[in-house]
Amino acid sequence: MKPIHTFKVSPCLPTQLEPLRKLAHNLYWDWNVETQALFQRLDRDLWESTRHNPVLMLGMISQQRLAEMAKDEGFLAHMERTLQQLDNYLQERTWYRQNRSIRDSKECYAYFCAEYGLTYCLPIYAGGLGVLAGDHLKSASDLGLPLVGVGLLYQEGYFAQYLNPDGWQQEKYPINDFYNMPLHLERNEDGSELRIEVEYPDRIIYARVWRLQVGTVPLYMLDTNIEENSNPYDRDITDELYGGDLDLRIHQEMMLGIGGVKMLEALGYTPTIYHLNEGHSAFLILERIRKLIERGLSFTEAKQFVQSTQIFTTHTPVSAGFDMFSPDRTMHYVGRYAHLFGLSREEFLALGRENTGDFASPFSMATLAIENSSFINGVSKLHGEVSRKMFCQLWPEVPLSEVPIQAITNGVHARSVVAPSTQDLYDRYLGPSWDSAESQHPLWEKVKSIPDEELWRNREHRRSDLVVFVRKRLVQNLESGGATGAEIERAKEVLNPNILTIGFARRFATYKRANLFLYDLARIKQIMMGNVERQVQFVIAGKAHPKDMPGKELIRQIIHIVREQGMSERVVFLPNYNIYVARMLVAGCDIWLNNPRRPQEASGTSGMKAAMNGSLNLSILDGWWDEADYRRTGWAIGHGEVYEDQNYQDRVEANALYNLLEKEIVPLFYDRDEKGIPRGWVRKMKDAIALNCPQFNTARMVRDYAMKAYFPASERYFAMSKNNYAAAKEMAHWKKYLFEHWYSVKIKSIDISENTEIQVEQPVRVTAEIDLAALKPEDVELQLYKGAINDKGEIVNGTSVVMEYLDRHPSGWSIYTGELVYKSSGLQGLSLRVLPKHKNLSSAYEPGLILWAGSNYS
């Protein structure tokens, strides 16, 4: 029966408890221990059953309980204290104000992502990308950045996982009740719901706007499940995250990118930069260009302005991970922009093609994003190297080490992932700023002052909490699945709160090798249970994508092996991995295991979370672990080798894993003094905290984005938008002129002051005569490029020295000079190159032009 009218019914709170509404609707409670404790105090069981959702909780709690708490002076004092903490937090975000020179301008950083992992009660994320995006917003709030998030609000989100009796993953999709979540529906001034519209082939699709307040940062999300969309397919666009086929995917990405730009405009925002977190939102580039053309700019002028004010972060270490659409599909859905831009079919498709001459190649969202961004980065140092190799074809003749893809290593939001008791420990011994202090801050020296006994007892309590949590979760899952009484009783006894506990939890893609620890069953059983005084246990969690059959088979295989080998009390698979499960695991495990095939882990963040809790990492040297101090804060499996034979790799690295467990990890954990304290283990715990906490923290990460990307790109926005985009227009025309005349530039002569044999630190002066054709000296920069010669006769790891413009030869040639020295001996090389130069270029490589001496000089 359909209703004839609907009401939004809000909780009825006593006047004294009205502040609870404000506290519930700002996600600050997710990383504020006091606020979480307040809601737990109101009704702990309801807090758990509502998935830690204070909004739903306030709507379900009895009026009798509310009336009782309204008279509880202790509760009211607690509430006032947390309210004051929120108010202080919202007013005291000072890092941005202290570090930004442009203070009077209205900066706005628009951050686009397909998923956000923020808290337990908002299942609108699939994994690491979403959790990283959520932590990015939280730290942007902590630092006071003028950032606004853009995403899609999924009615079903990502699936909930359960296992059938055979261990095969099953999926269910609980419906998200937006009205009972910490969400605010955006409205027009007349009270009607705000709507945006996006043009799709043959129809308009509408979406409404929800806001989630993340501290000081608003996250706006689009929802197409509304009556204006008469087609059920259109209402389902924002139904599932990463569900459906390629047509649904392109529908979602149009709504995210194009709809996101339209939404920000409808809300009154004028972003100074756009940050694309992965390529899912790259269609926003087309909409931005369209809007600028409407304001009178040409396509090239608009494209230049968009590129100058855009940032792209890639999280994918393999080409197959990027969204690619066939030429016909691309033209069907977004081809109308080609007409608006005045481009032919192939000119338009070239915007997203790595090889523009291959007319059969697909349209890549990553290429579209890269070619139209002024700052591009990978998410770890190693991933930056991998990304430069993947995309170096976009910058032909640029040395691999100089391909303009930087690295900003991911981090995690400390207050979100460190257990409350551990936070209290750090607050007492390090001070309240530990969650954002930089590596050089003297407070990290104070980690040594934490008493070993206190740190170790806290570790034991967290492990015990994890065991209780796992047992409870297993029992709940078994009861809901109709398990026998005997199975339920066995679940109540799994794990031991007093033995070495290893955690492994992540997406169950096969390259992550969740089953590597089971490679040699006899040996791992001996390690786990061979010595009754020195046992080891594993807690495993993770989801496979619903269409990833090998990933599902991996889960089933582990379940079967554990059962058949009688290991069920010491190896537990915990279904339905989510933010809450992850936080319990990283807080309670002694060791965090990660063994992907290098270099397929772009960054990884779960190990960072474990380290912040004082856990030690045991990992392949991939992602973030490759740049950590893995000797002092854990153990490395192997030495960073890359194997062609995967079977051989599995055998070698499984043996390395077993050797570390047998010879180093287990002995160190169980080597106790007369007080029962493993002093050597605790020393490594302290190193893990002091070294990893400040370095792999989103406070550091977002500061890096601000200093390296946001501030420069935002300054370009102000410079290039003045006087009706005069600078953007000038630069577009300059680039056109540059391209027209670049290939007429000639290197006429090079005079080197010394012969083929010189000494270290001996100055070498070089003079060059260059025919710049129609270009002017201010249009170019000449560089001497020097470095060691490898076995292929090529300069490797070269460095450059800028040459000085001296004069113009009577013949019209330009004369440049420069001096260099070599810091090391051996066979060293020298070359000369010409690069474009303009004050508004994000880098000399932005135009993709470079002239080397060898190409037309001998």
Side-chain angles (χ1 to χ4, degrees), residues 482-520:
T484 66
E487 290 176 308
I488 292 170
E489 289 304 311
R490 282 196 296 271
K492 293 178 181 179
E493 300 297 326
V494 299
L495 304 181
N496 182 329
N498 300 310
I499 68 176
L500 175 61
T501 303
I502 299 176
F504 180 100
R506 50 195 33 86
R507 183 166 57 91
F508 260 67
T510 51
Y511 78 86
K512 294 177 183 284
R513 299 188 297 178
N515 60 344
L516 185 68
F517 78 104
L518 297 172
Y519 186 88
D520 184 333

mmCIF file of all heavy atoms in Angstrom, residues 482-520:
data_model
loop_
_atom_site.group_PDB
_atom_site.id
_atom_site.type_symbol
_atom_site.label_atom_id
_atom_site.label_comp_id
_atom_site.label_asym_id
_atom_site.label_seq_id
_atom_site.Cartn_x
_atom_site.Cartn_y
_atom_site.Cartn_z
ATOM 1 N N GLY A 482 21.638 -20.643 11.306
ATOM 2 C CA GLY A 482 21.000 -21.899 11.696
ATOM 3 C C GLY A 482 21.966 -23.010 12.037
ATOM 4 O O GLY A 482 21.676 -24.191 11.816
ATOM 5 N N ALA A 483 23.115 -22.670 12.615
ATOM 6 C CA ALA A 483 24.121 -23.671 12.966
ATOM 7 C C ALA A 483 23.647 -24.523 14.137
ATOM 8 O O ALA A 483 22.728 -24.151 14.891
ATOM 9 C CB ALA A 483 25.444 -22.980 13.310
ATOM 10 N N THR A 484 24.298 -25.659 14.321
ATOM 11 C CA THR A 484 23.945 -26.544 15.429
ATOM 12 C C THR A 484 24.461 -25.980 16.743
ATOM 13 O O THR A 484 25.368 -25.134 16.778
ATOM 14 C CB THR A 484 24.553 -27.927 15.213
ATOM 15 O OG1 THR A 484 25.989 -27.831 15.277
ATOM 16 C CG2 THR A 484 24.142 -28.500 13.863
ATOM 17 N N GLY A 485 23.916 -26.495 17.833
ATOM 18 C CA GLY A 485 24.364 -26.066 19.147
ATOM 19 C C GLY A 485 25.823 -26.376 19.392
ATOM 20 O O GLY A 485 26.550 -25.590 20.015
ATOM 21 N N ALA A 486 26.278 -27.511 18.870
ATOM 22 C CA ALA A 486 27.677 -27.887 19.059
ATOM 23 C C ALA A 486 28.610 -26.909 18.358
ATOM 24 O O ALA A 486 29.663 -26.544 18.886
ATOM 25 C CB ALA A 486 27.901 -29.311 18.537
ATOM 26 N N GLU A 487 28.225 -26.495 17.150
ATOM 27 C CA GLU A 487 29.050 -25.523 16.417
ATOM 28 C C GLU A 487 29.124 -24.200 17.163
ATOM 29 O O GLU A 487 30.187 -23.567 17.241
ATOM 30 C CB GLU A 487 28.465 -25.292 15.016
ATOM 31 C CG GLU A 487 28.618 -26.479 14.067
ATOM 32 C CD GLU A 487 27.932 -26.234 12.744
ATOM 33 O OE1 GLU A 487 26.724 -25.870 12.742
ATOM 34 O OE2 GLU A 487 28.587 -26.383 11.702
ATOM 35 N N ILE A 488 28.013 -23.781 17.731
ATOM 36 C CA ILE A 488 27.979 -22.514 18.461
ATOM 37 C C ILE A 488 28.837 -22.608 19.717
ATOM 38 O O ILE A 488 29.581 -21.669 20.050
ATOM 39 C CB ILE A 488 26.522 -22.143 18.795
ATOM 40 C CG1 ILE A 488 25.764 -21.798 17.497
ATOM 41 C CG2 ILE A 488 26.459 -20.984 19.785
ATOM 42 C CD1 ILE A 488 24.271 -21.642 17.673
ATOM 43 N N GLU A 489 28.785 -23.726 20.412
ATOM 44 C CA GLU A 489 29.600 -23.891 21.617
ATOM 45 C C GLU A 489 31.091 -23.892 21.283
ATOM 46 O O GLU A 489 31.902 -23.325 22.027
ATOM 47 C CB GLU A 489 29.217 -25.193 22.332
ATOM 48 C CG GLU A 489 27.862 -25.145 23.004
ATOM 49 C CD GLU A 489 27.761 -23.988 24.003
ATOM 50 O OE1 GLU A 489 28.691 -23.835 24.838
ATOM 51 O OE2 GLU A 489 26.764 -23.235 23.945
ATOM 52 N N ARG A 490 31.449 -24.495 20.160
ATOM 53 C CA ARG A 490 32.863 -24.485 19.756
ATOM 54 C C ARG A 490 33.339 -23.065 19.434
ATOM 55 O O ARG A 490 34.474 -22.696 19.729
ATOM 56 C CB ARG A 490 33.072 -25.401 18.543
ATOM 57 C CG ARG A 490 33.109 -26.886 18.888
ATOM 58 C CD ARG A 490 33.694 -27.704 17.747
ATOM 59 N NE ARG A 490 32.872 -27.646 16.550
ATOM 60 C CZ ARG A 490 31.872 -28.492 16.280
ATOM 61 N NH1 ARG A 490 31.583 -29.467 17.137
ATOM 62 N NH2 ARG A 490 31.172 -28.376 15.162
ATOM 63 N N ALA A 491 32.431 -22.283 18.837
ATOM 64 C CA ALA A 491 32.800 -20.904 18.487
ATOM 65 C C ALA A 491 33.094 -20.068 19.726
ATOM 66 O O ALA A 491 33.876 -19.116 19.674
ATOM 67 C CB ALA A 491 31.676 -20.261 17.671
ATOM 68 N N LYS A 492 32.484 -20.435 20.837
ATOM 69 C CA LYS A 492 32.703 -19.678 22.070
ATOM 70 C C LYS A 492 34.082 -19.926 22.675
ATOM 71 O O LYS A 492 34.476 -19.247 23.625
ATOM 72 C CB LYS A 492 31.627 -20.047 23.094
ATOM 73 C CG LYS A 492 30.220 -19.606 22.712
ATOM 74 C CD LYS A 492 29.199 -20.058 23.754
ATOM 75 C CE LYS A 492 27.795 -19.643 23.371
ATOM 76 N NZ LYS A 492 26.777 -20.114 24.377
ATOM 77 N N GLU A 493 34.812 -20.896 22.122
ATOM 78 C CA GLU A 493 36.120 -21.250 22.689
ATOM 79 C C GLU A 493 37.280 -20.998 21.728
ATOM 80 O O GLU A 493 38.417 -21.336 22.042
ATOM 81 C CB GLU A 493 36.103 -22.738 23.083
ATOM 82 C CG GLU A 493 35.047 -23.106 24.110
ATOM 83 C CD GLU A 493 35.260 -22.405 25.448
ATOM 84 O OE1 GLU A 493 36.437 -22.183 25.811
ATOM 85 O OE2 GLU A 493 34.268 -22.074 26.096
ATOM 86 N N VAL A 494 36.993 -20.414 20.552
ATOM 87 C CA VAL A 494 38.087 -20.233 19.594
ATOM 88 C C VAL A 494 39.063 -19.176 20.103
ATOM 89 O O VAL A 494 38.723 -18.299 20.891
ATOM 90 C CB VAL A 494 37.568 -19.806 18.200
ATOM 91 C CG1 VAL A 494 36.657 -20.870 17.619
ATOM 92 C CG2 VAL A 494 36.869 -18.453 18.251
ATOM 93 N N LEU A 495 40.283 -19.304 19.675
ATOM 94 C CA LEU A 495 41.374 -18.392 20.010
ATOM 95 C C LEU A 495 41.707 -18.445 21.500
ATOM 96 O O LEU A 495 40.939 -18.926 22.327
ATOM 97 C CB LEU A 495 41.059 -16.949 19.583
ATOM 98 C CG LEU A 495 40.718 -16.742 18.098
ATOM 99 C CD1 LEU A 495 40.465 -15.266 17.826
ATOM 100 C CD2 LEU A 495 41.836 -17.257 17.197
ATOM 101 N N ASN A 496 42.868 -17.913 21.792
ATOM 102 C CA ASN A 496 43.366 -17.869 23.168
ATOM 103 C C ASN A 496 43.861 -16.453 23.415
ATOM 104 O O ASN A 496 44.711 -15.957 22.672
ATOM 105 C CB ASN A 496 44.508 -18.879 23.334
ATOM 106 C CG ASN A 496 45.049 -18.934 24.755
ATOM 107 O OD1 ASN A 496 45.055 -17.948 25.486
ATOM 108 N ND2 ASN A 496 45.534 -20.099 25.157
ATOM 109 N N PRO A 497 43.346 -15.773 24.429
ATOM 110 C CA PRO A 497 43.734 -14.365 24.641
ATOM 111 C C PRO A 497 45.176 -14.168 25.072
ATOM 112 O O PRO A 497 45.629 -13.023 25.180
ATOM 113 C CB PRO A 497 42.758 -13.903 25.729
ATOM 114 C CG PRO A 497 42.363 -15.149 26.449
ATOM 115 C CD PRO A 497 42.352 -16.229 25.420
ATOM 116 N N ASN A 498 45.915 -15.235 25.285
ATOM 117 C CA ASN A 498 47.274 -15.100 25.827
ATOM 118 C C ASN A 498 48.384 -15.483 24.857
ATOM 119 O O ASN A 498 49.558 -15.487 25.246
ATOM 120 C CB ASN A 498 47.402 -15.969 27.089
ATOM 121 C CG ASN A 498 46.415 -15.562 28.158
ATOM 122 O OD1 ASN A 498 46.309 -14.387 28.497
ATOM 123 N ND2 ASN A 498 45.665 -16.530 28.680
ATOM 124 N N ILE A 499 48.034 -15.783 23.600
ATOM 125 C CA ILE A 499 49.092 -16.247 22.691
ATOM 126 C C ILE A 499 49.270 -15.277 21.520
ATOM 127 O O ILE A 499 48.413 -14.424 21.251
ATOM 128 C CB ILE A 499 48.827 -17.679 22.186
ATOM 129 C CG1 ILE A 499 47.607 -17.734 21.265
ATOM 130 C CG2 ILE A 499 48.653 -18.635 23.340
ATOM 131 C CD1 ILE A 499 47.371 -19.126 20.678
ATOM 132 N N LEU A 500 50.396 -15.422 20.845
ATOM 133 C CA LEU A 500 50.758 -14.547 19.729
ATOM 134 C C LEU A 500 49.675 -14.598 18.654
ATOM 135 O O LEU A 500 49.351 -15.658 18.125
ATOM 136 C CB LEU A 500 52.097 -14.996 19.140
ATOM 137 C CG LEU A 500 52.598 -14.274 17.881
ATOM 138 C CD1 LEU A 500 52.805 -12.793 18.137
ATOM 139 C CD2 LEU A 500 53.902 -14.914 17.396
ATOM 140 N N THR A 501 49.124 -13.413 18.337
ATOM 141 C CA THR A 501 47.984 -13.319 17.428
ATOM 142 C C THR A 501 48.380 -12.540 16.179
ATOM 143 O O THR A 501 48.847 -11.402 16.262
ATOM 144 C CB THR A 501 46.790 -12.636 18.122
ATOM 145 O OG1 THR A 501 46.458 -13.380 19.305
ATOM 146 C CG2 THR A 501 45.591 -12.570 17.205
ATOM 147 N N ILE A 502 48.191 -13.178 15.037
ATOM 148 C CA ILE A 502 48.546 -12.579 13.747
ATOM 149 C C ILE A 502 47.262 -12.251 12.991
ATOM 150 O O ILE A 502 46.378 -13.100 12.860
ATOM 151 C CB ILE A 502 49.423 -13.541 12.920
ATOM 152 C CG1 ILE A 502 50.725 -13.839 13.676
ATOM 153 C CG2 ILE A 502 49.721 -12.953 11.540
ATOM 154 C CD1 ILE A 502 51.623 -14.854 12.986
ATOM 155 N N GLY A 503 47.179 -11.046 12.492
ATOM 156 C CA GLY A 503 46.007 -10.614 11.734
ATOM 157 C C GLY A 503 46.294 -10.472 10.261
ATOM 158 O O GLY A 503 47.384 -10.039 9.856
ATOM 159 N N PHE A 504 45.333 -10.874 9.442
ATOM 160 C CA PHE A 504 45.393 -10.690 7.994
ATOM 161 C C PHE A 504 43.990 -10.299 7.557
ATOM 162 O O PHE A 504 43.057 -11.101 7.668
ATOM 163 C CB PHE A 504 45.837 -11.969 7.289
ATOM 164 C CG PHE A 504 45.920 -11.829 5.779
ATOM 165 C CD1 PHE A 504 47.141 -11.615 5.157
ATOM 166 C CD2 PHE A 504 44.776 -11.908 4.989
ATOM 167 C CE1 PHE A 504 47.217 -11.480 3.776
ATOM 168 C CE2 PHE A 504 44.841 -11.778 3.616
ATOM 169 C CZ PHE A 504 46.065 -11.563 3.002
ATOM 170 N N ALA A 505 43.818 -9.072 7.068
ATOM 171 C CA ALA A 505 42.481 -8.628 6.669
ATOM 172 C C ALA A 505 42.598 -7.637 5.524
ATOM 173 O O ALA A 505 43.275 -6.615 5.661
ATOM 174 C CB ALA A 505 41.767 -7.974 7.849
ATOM 175 N N ARG A 506 41.941 -7.937 4.419
ATOM 176 C CA ARG A 506 41.964 -7.065 3.244
ATOM 177 C C ARG A 506 41.060 -7.664 2.176
ATOM 178 O O ARG A 506 40.477 -8.725 2.381
ATOM 179 C CB ARG A 506 43.381 -6.902 2.692
ATOM 180 C CG ARG A 506 44.101 -8.207 2.485
ATOM 181 C CD ARG A 506 45.587 -8.061 2.278
ATOM 182 N NE ARG A 506 46.211 -6.976 2.976
ATOM 183 C CZ ARG A 506 46.667 -7.041 4.243
ATOM 184 N NH1 ARG A 506 46.511 -8.162 4.923
ATOM 185 N NH2 ARG A 506 47.255 -6.014 4.810
ATOM 186 N N ARG A 507 40.944 -6.964 1.067
ATOM 187 C CA ARG A 507 40.178 -7.485 -0.058
ATOM 188 C C ARG A 507 40.785 -8.805 -0.520
ATOM 189 O O ARG A 507 41.995 -8.926 -0.633
ATOM 190 C CB ARG A 507 40.190 -6.458 -1.194
ATOM 191 C CG ARG A 507 39.375 -6.846 -2.405
ATOM 192 C CD ARG A 507 39.177 -5.633 -3.309
ATOM 193 N NE ARG A 507 40.454 -5.046 -3.714
ATOM 194 C CZ ARG A 507 41.113 -5.374 -4.809
ATOM 195 N NH1 ARG A 507 40.631 -6.330 -5.609
ATOM 196 N NH2 ARG A 507 42.252 -4.782 -5.130
ATOM 197 N N PHE A 508 39.937 -9.786 -0.805
ATOM 198 C CA PHE A 508 40.424 -11.108 -1.184
ATOM 199 C C PHE A 508 40.637 -11.187 -2.691
ATOM 200 O O PHE A 508 39.983 -11.951 -3.400
ATOM 201 C CB PHE A 508 39.476 -12.200 -0.686
ATOM 202 C CG PHE A 508 39.962 -12.849 0.578
ATOM 203 C CD1 PHE A 508 40.020 -12.135 1.760
ATOM 204 C CD2 PHE A 508 40.396 -14.157 0.590
ATOM 205 C CE1 PHE A 508 40.474 -12.703 2.927
ATOM 206 C CE2 PHE A 508 40.860 -14.755 1.749
ATOM 207 C CZ PHE A 508 40.900 -14.018 2.924
ATOM 208 N N ALA A 509 41.581 -10.382 -3.166
ATOM 209 C CA ALA A 509 42.076 -10.544 -4.534
ATOM 210 C C ALA A 509 43.206 -11.570 -4.478
ATOM 211 O O ALA A 509 43.965 -11.630 -3.502
ATOM 212 C CB ALA A 509 42.580 -9.210 -5.070
ATOM 213 N N THR A 510 43.352 -12.353 -5.512
ATOM 214 C CA THR A 510 44.305 -13.465 -5.454
ATOM 215 C C THR A 510 45.747 -12.989 -5.303
ATOM 216 O O THR A 510 46.566 -13.684 -4.697
ATOM 217 C CB THR A 510 44.185 -14.340 -6.707
ATOM 218 O OG1 THR A 510 44.265 -13.516 -7.872
ATOM 219 C CG2 THR A 510 42.845 -15.074 -6.723
ATOM 220 N N TYR A 511 46.084 -11.800 -5.856
ATOM 221 C CA TYR A 511 47.477 -11.352 -5.757
ATOM 222 C C TYR A 511 47.882 -11.031 -4.320
ATOM 223 O O TYR A 511 49.067 -10.958 -4.007
ATOM 224 C CB TYR A 511 47.726 -10.135 -6.661
ATOM 225 C CG TYR A 511 47.234 -8.808 -6.117
ATOM 226 C CD1 TYR A 511 48.036 -8.042 -5.274
ATOM 227 C CD2 TYR A 511 45.979 -8.309 -6.457
ATOM 228 C CE1 TYR A 511 47.598 -6.828 -4.775
ATOM 229 C CE2 TYR A 511 45.538 -7.098 -5.968
ATOM 230 C CZ TYR A 511 46.349 -6.361 -5.138
ATOM 231 O OH TYR A 511 45.907 -5.157 -4.647
ATOM 232 N N LYS A 512 46.913 -10.875 -3.426
ATOM 233 C CA LYS A 512 47.231 -10.601 -2.021
ATOM 234 C C LYS A 512 47.590 -11.877 -1.252
ATOM 235 O O LYS A 512 48.066 -11.812 -0.126
ATOM 236 C CB LYS A 512 46.057 -9.867 -1.351
ATOM 237 C CG LYS A 512 45.832 -8.465 -1.917
ATOM 238 C CD LYS A 512 44.628 -7.792 -1.278
ATOM 239 C CE LYS A 512 44.339 -6.427 -1.883
ATOM 240 N NZ LYS A 512 45.267 -5.383 -1.424
ATOM 241 N N ARG A 513 47.330 -13.041 -1.849
ATOM 242 C CA ARG A 513 47.798 -14.346 -1.342
ATOM 243 C C ARG A 513 47.443 -14.575 0.133
ATOM 244 O O ARG A 513 48.302 -14.808 0.970
ATOM 245 C CB ARG A 513 49.302 -14.479 -1.558
ATOM 246 C CG ARG A 513 49.726 -14.429 -3.007
ATOM 247 C CD ARG A 513 51.190 -14.756 -3.181
ATOM 248 N NE ARG A 513 52.063 -13.784 -2.528
ATOM 249 C CZ ARG A 513 53.386 -13.856 -2.499
ATOM 250 N NH1 ARG A 513 54.002 -14.879 -3.060
ATOM 251 N NH2 ARG A 513 54.111 -12.927 -1.897
ATOM 252 N N ALA A 514 46.156 -14.553 0.423
ATOM 253 C CA ALA A 514 45.710 -14.769 1.794
ATOM 254 C C ALA A 514 46.072 -16.151 2.312
ATOM 255 O O ALA A 514 46.157 -16.370 3.526
ATOM 256 C CB ALA A 514 44.191 -14.564 1.885
ATOM 257 N N ASN A 515 46.291 -17.085 1.402
ATOM 258 C CA ASN A 515 46.581 -18.465 1.815
ATOM 259 C C ASN A 515 48.071 -18.783 1.854
ATOM 260 O O ASN A 515 48.454 -19.949 2.024
ATOM 261 C CB ASN A 515 45.871 -19.445 0.880
ATOM 262 C CG ASN A 515 46.329 -19.290 -0.576
ATOM 263 O OD1 ASN A 515 46.935 -18.276 -0.937
ATOM 264 N ND2 ASN A 515 46.019 -20.275 -1.399
ATOM 265 N N LEU A 516 48.942 -17.801 1.704
ATOM 266 C CA LEU A 516 50.376 -18.088 1.647
ATOM 267 C C LEU A 516 50.867 -18.737 2.937
ATOM 268 O O LEU A 516 51.725 -19.629 2.901
ATOM 269 C CB LEU A 516 51.167 -16.806 1.375
ATOM 270 C CG LEU A 516 52.670 -17.003 1.167
ATOM 271 C CD1 LEU A 516 52.943 -17.764 -0.135
ATOM 272 C CD2 LEU A 516 53.406 -15.664 1.160
ATOM 273 N N PHE A 517 50.326 -18.346 4.073
ATOM 274 C CA PHE A 517 50.791 -18.909 5.343
ATOM 275 C C PHE A 517 50.451 -20.394 5.469
ATOM 276 O O PHE A 517 51.001 -21.101 6.316
ATOM 277 C CB PHE A 517 50.228 -18.118 6.529
ATOM 278 C CG PHE A 517 48.800 -18.421 6.892
ATOM 279 C CD1 PHE A 517 48.507 -19.210 7.997
ATOM 280 C CD2 PHE A 517 47.742 -17.907 6.147
ATOM 281 C CE1 PHE A 517 47.198 -19.481 8.354
ATOM 282 C CE2 PHE A 517 46.434 -18.168 6.495
ATOM 283 C CZ PHE A 517 46.156 -18.967 7.601
ATOM 284 N N LEU A 518 49.554 -20.889 4.593
ATOM 285 C CA LEU A 518 49.175 -22.302 4.604
ATOM 286 C C LEU A 518 49.923 -23.107 3.537
ATOM 287 O O LEU A 518 49.554 -24.251 3.246
ATOM 288 C CB LEU A 518 47.661 -22.432 4.377
ATOM 289 C CG LEU A 518 46.760 -21.815 5.454
ATOM 290 C CD1 LEU A 518 45.307 -21.838 5.007
ATOM 291 C CD2 LEU A 518 46.930 -22.535 6.780
ATOM 292 N N TYR A 519 50.960 -22.549 2.969
ATOM 293 C CA TYR A 519 51.682 -23.201 1.866
ATOM 294 C C TYR A 519 52.229 -24.561 2.286
ATOM 295 O O TYR A 519 52.083 -25.554 1.566
ATOM 296 C CB TYR A 519 52.821 -22.284 1.403
ATOM 297 C CG TYR A 519 53.549 -22.789 0.185
ATOM 298 C CD1 TYR A 519 53.104 -22.463 -1.099
ATOM 299 C CD2 TYR A 519 54.685 -23.591 0.318
ATOM 300 C CE1 TYR A 519 53.777 -22.927 -2.220
ATOM 301 C CE2 TYR A 519 55.359 -24.056 -0.814
ATOM 302 C CZ TYR A 519 54.899 -23.728 -2.071
ATOM 303 O OH TYR A 519 55.567 -24.196 -3.178
ATOM 304 N N ASP A 520 52.854 -24.623 3.449
ATOM 305 C CA ASP A 520 53.399 -25.893 3.988
ATOM 306 C C ASP A 520 52.634 -26.186 5.280
ATOM 307 O O ASP A 520 52.946 -25.652 6.344
ATOM 308 C CB ASP A 520 54.894 -25.742 4.256
ATOM 309 C CG ASP A 520 55.546 -27.038 4.720
ATOM 310 O OD1 ASP A 520 54.849 -27.891 5.313
ATOM 311 O OD2 ASP A 520 56.772 -27.186 4.528
#
